[in-house]
Amino acid sequence: ALERDTQLCTSLINGESSLRDVLTVLDERGKASKAMFDAIQGHHHRLRTLVGEGESAQSEWRAAVEDAGELRRYAQAAAEISTRQWTQQGIDWCAAFAVDFFHGGGKERLLRKEAKRLSLSELQTTACSESRSAPIELLDVGSCGSLFNGVPGLVPTALDLCPSEGSDTVYKSDFLSLEVVPMGSDQVVVPHPHHPAGELQCLPAASFDAVVMSLVLSYLPSPPLRAAMV
């Protein structure tokens, strides 16, 4: 742990911190990390216990996620996880893949491959070429924070069961209960007393180019719910 913290290591070498001080810091970090992972694992265990795989899975799910206090504790731990390097690397990969696909020729390559598979003699790529400069509408499902904000080329819409405290760009929404309305309709957001961005109640069909479900499917406790989400 000390090797990964250059600032703490330098402080020890320069005599600015004693070995006891450094060990105390590392011990506190270890306890905080354990509490964070215990909160996440405990929440997952609770969901698996309360939600089965039968026909009542949807209603059991809705009942299981009504505990606001439990969701806030999980959201706080998830927000901490999102600051870890491996999490950011995953977000960076998702963003880079989306940008390359829509702006870097990935979409055209896929269409050519599909045309070849279908033995088509011609492929219209004009629309693809014209769309290379268009912003990529990205739906981030299960986002504890605004992880894709500021990424060039992306226009993210983030939603979560319980957005992290103070987040004013992440909508509160249960994706499994989110209504999909006809294409061209307006999305509906209503005020929420605890989440500044509001509660997202519906989205128009075909309104996004890409959907990110980072660590979301593993959150759902049963195969029927995972199937319903995708």
Side-chain angles (χ1 to χ4, degrees), residues 88-186:
Q88 188 56 54
Q89 288 173 339
I91 296 301
D92 292 343
W93 181 89
C94 290
F97 186 90
V99 171
D100 177 68
F101 184 80
F102 290 101
H103 292 171
K107 186 175 181 180
E108 291 97 318
R109 292 192 295 270
L110 178 63
L111 288 176
R112 290 192 185 96
K113 182 178 180 180
E114 186 67 8
K116 184 177 181 180
R117 185 182 70 83
L118 297 174
S119 300
L120 298 179
S121 58
E122 295 183 0
L123 176 66
Q124 298 295 328
T125 59
T126 304
C128 293
S129 299
E130 291 176 349
S131 67
R132 281 199 181 195
S133 60
I136 301 166
E137 297 286 346
L138 183 142
L139 181 62
D140 185 12
V141 180
S143 177
C144 57
S146 307
L147 304 179
F148 290 96
N149 279 10
V151 177
L154 297 185
V155 180
T157 296
L159 58 91
D160 194 88
L161 276 171
C162 183
S164 56
E165 186 175 354
S167 176
D168 58 359
T169 58
V170 181
Y171 297 117
K172 173 179 172 54
S173 182
D174 182 353
F175 189 68
L176 290 172
S177 302
L178 184 64
E179 182 182 3
V180 178
V181 295
M183 188 168 53
S185 303
D186 294 328

Side-chain angles (χ1 to χ4, degrees), residues 33-79:
S33 292
K34 184 179 184 304
M36 175 183 62
F37 283 107
D38 285 349
I40 290 175
Q41 291 175 352
H43 185 66
H44 286 180
H45 176 74
R46 176 177 176 273
L47 291 178
R48 288 193 297 270
T49 300
L50 295 176
V51 182
E53 299 183 8
E55 295 181 357
S56 59
Q58 288 277 4
S59 59
E60 291 171 349
W61 164 260
R62 287 192 292 270
V65 297
E66 284 182 351
D67 188 335
E70 177 74 15
L71 288 179
R72 281 195 295 271
R73 285 189 291 273
Y74 181 86
Q76 184 177 4

Side-chain angles (χ1 to χ4, degrees), residues 189-206:
V189 179
V190 298
H192 192 280
H194 303 299
H195 302 291
E199 183 172 357
L200 181 64
Q201 295 190 330
C202 70
L203 282 174

